[in-house]
Amino acid sequence: MTKYNIDRYQRQITLLGEEGQESLRRARVLVAGVGGLGTIVAADLAAAGVGFLRLADNDRVELSNLNRQFLFRPDDIGREKTLAAMERLHLLNPEIQVEGISQTIDNETINELVKDIDLIVDAMDNFATRFILNQAAFSRHLPMIHGAVRGFFGQATTLIPGKTGCLQCFFAGNPLGEIIPVIGATCGVIGSVQASETIKVLTGRGEPLTNRLFFWDGWAGEGTVIDAKRNPRCIICGGG
Ligand SMILES: [Zn+2]
């Protein structure tokens, strides 16, 4: 490891070891969605030295994004989110590789998006797309870090094929699309939990949020964790 990197990552090498830092450098992560959660996760992982980030989102920056998507500035309005995010992340850490894919995540595009990827971060805003990611994760045996926010509430869990249930087990209903209210600070809490989970899974350290669901209630200032058990008859992870 270079002197520059030993200095740059000094505060976390004391936690993860040089081998842990090297695991982050070699890792390839798909951040699915570059919105309130995805911008936080991508910035956290870029700063931590995750070597390759693929960002997937088909949206352009809008004025109403700016209350929570801190990677973007008013003069980014109208630009592709992935392009603006790539520029900012490159400034934050020029040593890592960031690839932006300005495409909708659907059954046509998912295979290319997860190709050569070690871990998926679910930073989406709708369950229809989450279930596409979920199926890809479980068919390819990729860990997936789920996060979702609404207003002052948020949730996160870590899915490991073969060890945990999947999103289909926990959220079989498919909520209708709508404009979800959200405060930027909630994205900060849940996005940072997702980044922590990603770093733990990639380095094999700590206790990932497996078979457990973390709930954050920002109005009450309370976090709770509940058991999230696999459904043995699940059509995605139940083994038929
Ligand atoms: Zn399942």
Side-chain angles (χ1 to χ4, degrees):
M1 190 173 287
T2 63
K3 166 89 168 61
Y4 173 89
N5 280 338
I6 288 172
D7 286 349
R8 176 174 179 118
Y9 302 116
Q10 181 192 33
R11 299 296 181 99
Q12 63 193 60
I13 287 173
T14 55
L15 299 168
L16 305 174
E18 284 197 28
E19 70 280 8
Q21 191 61 46
E22 181 60 19
S23 298
L24 295 184
R25 190 189 66 78
R26 284 198 308 263
R28 299 173 64 84
V29 171
L30 170 66
V31 179
V34 188
L37 293 173
T39 50
I40 296 283
V41 174
D44 271 342
L45 297 182
V50 171
F52 177 85
L53 298 175
R54 178 173 294 149
L55 312 177
D57 197 307
N58 196 35
D59 285 346
R60 291 175 182 269
V61 179
E62 297 176 21
L63 180 60
S64 64
N65 299 150
L66 301 185
N67 79 322
R68 63 199 184 283
Q69 299 176 20
F70 309 137
L71 279 185
F72 307 131
R73 305 183 306 214
D75 58 5
D76 290 319
I77 290 167
R79 300 180 69 206
E80 289 179 357
K81 283 186 168 183
T82 52
L83 192 62
M86 276 170 65
E87 286 177 10
R88 295 295 135 65
L89 295 170
H90 180 71
L91 291 172
L92 186 60
N93 191 346
E95 297 221 315
I96 66 161
Q97 200 183 341
V98 184
E99 180 184 69
I101 310 275
S102 193
Q103 276 184 347
T104 303
I105 301 170
D106 57 26
N107 286 318
E108 303 292 311
T109 58
I110 187 67
N111 286 333
E112 277 296 304
L113 291 173
V114 297
K115 197 175 72 179
D116 307 327
I117 285 296
D118 300 315
L119 180 146
I120 298 171
V121 177
D122 160 22
M124 297 306 306
D125 59 359
N126 70 86
F127 270 84
T129 311
R130 285 192 172 100
F131 286 132
I132 293 172
L133 295 172
N134 182 61
Q135 186 154 26
F138 277 75
S139 66
R140 290 169 179 259
H141 298 282
L142 298 174
M144 178 162 122
I145 315 297
H146 162 72
V149 290
R150 173 182 291 270
F152 275 82
F153 301 101
Q155 65 184 39
T157 188
T158 292
L159 309 172
I160 310 270
K163 291 188 179 170
T164 72
C166 74
L167 287 188
Q168 188 79 34
C169 296
F170 310 147
F171 311 107
N174 190 346
L176 295 173
E178 59 180 306
I179 294 176
I180 298 168
V182 63
I183 195 102
T186 308
C187 299
V189 172
I190 298 300
S192 293
V193 169
Q194 290 183 279
S196 300
E197 290 299 299
T198 300
I199 289 167
K200 283 166 17 186
V201 169
L202 292 176
T203 60
R205 297 190 180 234
E207 287 294 327
L209 264 172
T210 47
N211 297 308
R212 294 175 299 147
L213 194 60
F214 169 72
F215 276 112
W216 168 245
D217 177 346
W219 286 125
E222 279 181 358
T224 49
V225 175
I226 62 163
D227 286 342
K229 292 294 180 211
R230 182 178 185 178
N231 173 2
R233 287 181 292 188
C234 175
I235 55 170
I236 301 296
C237 74

